[in-house]
Amino acid sequence: MIATMLNRERINSPNYDQGLLWVILILLGIGLVMVYSASIAIAEADKVVGHNSSYYLVRQGIFIVISLCAAFVAFNVPVVWWQKMAPYLFLFGLALLVLVLIPGVGRVVGGSRRWLSLFVINLQPSELMKLFAAMYVADYTVRKGALMGSFMKGFMPMLIVMLLVGGLLLREPDFGAFAVIAAISISILWLGGINGKIFAGLLVLLVIGFVLLIWSSPYRLERVIGFMDPWADPYGKGYQLSHALIAFGRGEWFGVGLGASVEKLLYLPEAHTDFLLAVIAEELGFVGVLTVLGLFAWIVLRSFGIGKEAIANERYFAALLAQGLGVWMGVQGIINIGVNMGVLPTKGLTLPLLSFGGSGILANCIGMAILLRIDFENRRLQKGLPV
């Protein structure tokens, strides 16, 4: 009788992680509200958008609806299909990165050529490339599992591919996207069993490479200098960071109230994108920031838990992809939060699932849908059902 009841309970248990889904939806909801709050002054002052205060709210709402529809489709695609398509999607992403660099094709905004104009919206290929890279590296690691201890046969081909991706991203330039993709790739290789000595050497080379990239680029060096002491030049190099820190200081424990931010009134640049967390800190205080951190921590921890369950089911591609998606959310979130709080140099990286932007929201939602699909298949296998 007890065995029958336990079996029935197991069969009738949810087919997907409802808690994870709610966390994702809550982040999207918080993002929609805060994007509207942070963008009202910007939209009203912009003649291009017709001084329409709800311009960014409407566009973000459309982005979320489209992204959720795409996520629903992605959730219904078996993980084995994503594994088969991983190399082709990666090549597609490379083609987009090349396309965006062609004069007259790629759109230049703020001195960076990162967008492809699709008339109604702009597509940012680097956002999709984060997802495609996670798939490709996970597939490569599984296919070359027996060679992961070899530098020439296992690691070198992947290094060449990642240097190619890095070269294209730095031509835009998009140093932040390169850092995130590098973190995703290295993490998946490490989790997939790459040789420890190779991994240690790679980390040393990465540190040296990032230092050289910063040192050789005047604007990156200025950002680092401004980050180290924003108050030395609060109207120049340290302008963004100094106003972000003011926003954090004004927020204190519980914030000044939703919609009551002063810094978003054309003082803090990119308040609805890169520096959305500063507005959250000012309006919702430490409690609001802690809530956002807790929700991201939930996603990261669940992604590694789902990956662990996939390993138990001997689904190694699914496991590495789930963990890679968690690294993506975690690393990009940490970088954005660190930049907003003055812990890291200013970088053009949005806060996943929250900041304004169609390409980012689309890629994030598809990635989270695939994570939910991996969990769905894990649960089906545990019930003895086909996936």
Side-chain angles (χ1 to χ4, degrees):
M1 176 66 73
I2 295 176
T4 303
M5 291 177 63
L6 289 173
N7 187 56
R8 185 180 301 145
E9 184 178 343
R10 181 171 60 87
I11 294 295
N12 293 331
S13 61
N15 287 326
Y16 61 92
D17 192 328
Q18 296 179 346
L20 177 59
L21 176 61
W22 275 111
V23 166
I24 295 166
L25 293 175
I26 289 170
L27 281 171
L28 288 171
I30 292 173
L32 183 64
V33 172
M34 295 310 304
V35 162
Y36 180 46
S37 177
S39 66
I40 292 175
I42 299 170
E44 288 181 343
D46 194 343
K47 292 186 291 185
V48 177
V49 303
H51 306 289
N52 181 2
S53 62
S54 61
Y55 175 81
Y56 292 102
L57 169 67
V58 172
R59 288 181 70 85
Q60 184 76 345
I62 293 171
F63 293 153
I64 290 174
V65 171
I66 293 173
S67 298
L68 288 176
C69 290
F72 178 77
V73 174
F75 176 79
N76 285 281
V77 176
V79 175
V80 66
W81 187 89
W82 292 113
Q83 184 173 7
K84 289 178 181 178
M85 294 301 296
Y88 305 105
L89 290 171
F90 185 76
L91 289 173
F92 175 66
L94 279 177
L96 291 178
L97 290 180
V98 172
L99 199 61
V100 80
L101 295 175
I102 300 175
V105 178
R107 187 183 177 197
V108 180
V109 178
S112 298
R113 191 184 297 274
R114 300 179 185 177
W115 293 269
L116 292 172
S117 178
L118 300 181
F119 303 106
V120 179
I121 61 171
N122 294 318
L123 177 68
Q124 189 173 356
S126 59
E127 292 293 341
L128 295 176
M129 197 59 187
K130 295 168 188 173
L131 175 60
F132 297 158
M135 292 180 184
Y136 178 72
V137 180
D139 175 58
Y140 178 88
T141 304
V142 171
R143 285 189 288 109
K144 301 287 186 178
L147 302 174
M148 280 294 102
S150 170
F151 179 82
M152 293 303 296
K153 295 181 179 180
F155 174 69
M156 183 58 72
M158 179 54 64
L159 178 62
I160 293 171
V161 169
M162 286 301 119
L163 287 176
L164 174 60
V165 173
L168 292 171
L169 288 170
L170 292 175
R171 287 283 296 170
E172 296 183 6
D174 196 343
F175 185 76
F178 175 48
V180 173
I181 289 173
I184 294 169
S185 304
I186 292 168
S187 299
I188 292 176
L189 288 172
W190 170 251
L191 293 166
I194 192 173
N195 182 281
K197 293 181 180 179
I198 296 175
F199 181 76
L202 175 62
L203 290 181
V204 173
L205 287 174
L206 275 175
V207 171
I208 295 172
F210 281 138
V211 169
L212 290 175
L213 283 171
I214 293 170
W215 190 262
S216 63
S217 176
Y219 88 93
R220 291 194 190 105
L221 190 58
E222 286 181 4
R223 283 187 171 184
V224 173
I225 293 172
F227 142 76
M228 293 174 68
D229 187 8
W231 306 110
D233 187 11
Y235 299 106
K237 301 182 187 72
Y239 183 79
Q240 279 184 310
L241 179 54
S242 61
H243 280 280
L245 293 175
I246 291 170
F248 270 86
R250 292 192 75 246
E252 298 185 353
W253 286 98
F254 299 103
V256 296
L258 185 62
S261 167
V262 171
E263 286 301 318
K264 70 182 182 185
L265 302 178
L266 306 182
Y267 293 106
L268 178 63
E270 307 298 336
H272 60 308
T273 55
D274 300 351
F275 284 88
L276 184 65
L277 187 73
V279 178
I280 293 174
E282 187 177 3
E283 295 190 351
L284 305 181
F286 176 76
V287 172
V289 174
L290 193 63
T291 299
V292 171
L293 287 172
L295 293 171
F296 274 108
W298 185 302
I299 291 176
V300 174
L301 291 173
R302 278 303 298 139
S303 69
F304 276 83
I306 291 169
K308 186 177 180 181
E309 292 162 8
I311 291 173
N313 292 321
E314 298 183 353
R315 303 171 65 235
Y316 301 112
F317 169 78
L320 291 174
L321 179 56
Q323 292 165 345
L325 293 171
V327 170
W328 173 18
M329 292 293 108
V331 168
Q332 185 164 333
I334 287 170
I335 292 175
N336 179 274
I337 293 166
V339 166
N340 275 254
M341 296 179 67
V343 179
L344 295 172
T346 304
K347 279 309 312 155
L349 277 176
T350 56
L351 191 58
L353 297 170
L354 281 95
S355 294
F356 176 80
S359 301
I361 293 292
L362 177 64
N364 296 158
C365 286
I366 292 175
M368 292 299 93
I370 294 172
L371 180 62
L372 285 165
R373 175 71 195 196
I374 294 170
D375 177 69
F376 169 79
E377 293 187 3
N378 285 342
R379 293 171 186 246
R380 296 274 297 180
L381 288 170
Q382 290 169 1
K383 295 176 182 179
L385 300 173
V387 296

